[in-house]
Amino acid sequence: MSSIQEIQQEIVEEFEMFDDWMQRYEYMIELGKSLPLIDEKYKTEEYIIKGCQSKVWVHADLNDDKIEFTADSDAIITKGIIAILIRSFSNQPPQEILDADTSFIDKIGLKEHLSPTRANGLVSMIKQIKLYAIAYQAKANSK
Amino acid sequence: MLMASATAKTTFNIEKIRKDFPILDRKVNGYPLVYFDNAATSQTPKQVIDAIVDYYSNYNANIHRGVHALSQEATDAYEQARIKIQRHFNIPNAYQTLFTAGTTHGINMVASGYASILKEGDEVLVSALEHHSNIVPWQMLCEKTGAKLKVIPMLETGTLDMEAFDALLSDRLKVVFVNHVSNALGTINPIAEIITKAHQKGAVVLVDGAQAAPHIKADVQELDVDFYVVSAHKICGPTGVGMLYGKEDLLKLLPPYQGGGEMIDQVTFEKTTYAGLPHKFEAGTPNICGGIAFGVALDYMNEIGFDAIAKYEHQLLEYATSKLQEIEGLRIYGESKDKTAVVSFNINGIHPYDMGTILDKLGIAVRTGHHCAQPIMDFYKISGTVRASFSFYNTFEEIDTFVAAVIRAKEMLS
Ligand SMILES: Cc1ncc(COP(=O)(O)O)c(C=O)c1O
């Protein structure tokens, strides 16, 4: 399994192949469409992050000391970014998740989607991912 | 449509008008800006920008307080602006033309005033087509007073259900709050009928004119409306300033909204007597420059003429509507015969946020989401719409660019 940094580097390289925003967006939309579905039972109020513009659902499970994230959104562009975030953060140990950042999103030209004023739920989703990592970390330490 | 656009040009010098708006030369994401978010805020002509620069460069001072020259000049200009606004809406007296910070502020001034007038069992009626700023203050008012909030329902066409309105008229009805034009759908509401019928029950009517003001020159006396509120920033003026008109007896009846300087007659620690209108409602240093610029904005629009504006915008609306309707799977919300230049729509299976994001990438500014009118979205069982709203400085060519972009986005997103 690659580290978060390696995966993020890989994503940056993939996006470098495109010469304009249209291709980047088309690729991101494709990623959104191929995002593994979240279990319908997690698409509830409990797991929802309400942005003003789009909704996001996130769920986390611990498998072999690694956190597996699943998520979904009602907007496909938001979902595309979710796919990118999940690829980078899912199946990683809690500490790695806590140490990682999202500056790679700037490098692939999608920075505006992570703006807190965008109200699409993504900023809160990242916060949520970190909170899950803190929670699982605390749980592991207390064992 | 070419013909319509050609005739429009003969009465309407669009090239000249566009030169008045510096922002229209901007590029966004590498494309020439197409600004179709006019219902959120309008752009500012250089005449208004110049007035703002002139104020701060030449006669910035506090008003009504000083004997010095600058204060006198600023006071004169501010009071002249009040008279311009008064004339524009055909308000009987300048002192019934109150400066506010905008529509929301004006509504809250009236709503909070009614908190000391309404009693338990009284009824307040709002329309289903309201902006949140015209719902929340009344909910708060009803919570405070025990009055009951009732809603005039809407129909599938995005118009008010006037039969239901008739049925809701009761002797307990005290206040009716309705917008002149719906911001989410562009529906022009039958406010004259609502006002007449509410008056027959002895109720007062506040009309939110925020979305009407850019397209319709309202005559408050002809309408016989009790309160009328607008924001300058939707009529080519700056943000943070607006107008509240009220009938004289009602303005005298309402308690002041805020305490402070400027609004008092005598202050002792035992009792303050309030100044007369309009000062009773204008505590503190107002947005002086904004008020002056508001007057200049109205001058600017009146120079072009509201009839010419309405006619041209209607042609833009019809052109955009017919072009958009050719797109498969596209549904337009709000099909009233009486509509301002607003097209609210969705395409089957495409989230409005996604559509808005791609349009933005192509330099086109539209609004997406629930437009602060969640009850309308709930009615249609949707999370939001894409709203394109046109102004007199927009062109048929921009609509072509926009429609092509919607088709391109649709291809990318489906
Ligand atoms: C119908 C309507 N009412 C009220 C408002 C609020 O206006 P403001 O934000 O200027 O107070 C708006 C603005 O979007 C509106 O469209």
Side-chain angles (χ1 to χ4, degrees), chain B residues 39-40 101-105 107 131 133 179 181-183 208 210-211 231 233-234:
Chain B
T103 303
T104 305
H105 181 215
I107 294 169
H131 188 277
S133 25
N179 56 34
V181 170
S182 149
N183 70 307
D208 170 353
Q211 291 295 337
S231 296
H233 71 90
K234 306 216 195 244

Side-chain angles (χ1 to χ4, degrees), chain A residues 21-22 25-26 29 33 52-53 74-78 112-113 118 120, chain B residues 31 351 353-354 357-358 360-362 368-370 383 408 412-414:
Chain A
W21 72 267
M22 277 272 239
Y25 270 63
E26 270 161 3
I29 291 163
K33 285 179 185 160
C52 192
Q53 293 277 350
D74 54 349
I76 190 71
I77 291 174
T78 307
E112 72 233 41
H113 295 279
R118 190 104 183 167
N120 55 12
Chain B
Y31 296 87
H351 196 285
Y353 175 75
D354 292 327
T357 302
I358 302 293
D360 172 59
K361 280 280 167 194
L362 293 163
T368 63
H370 54 58
S383 66
R408 198 157 157 194
M412 279 179 81
L413 293 163
S414 38

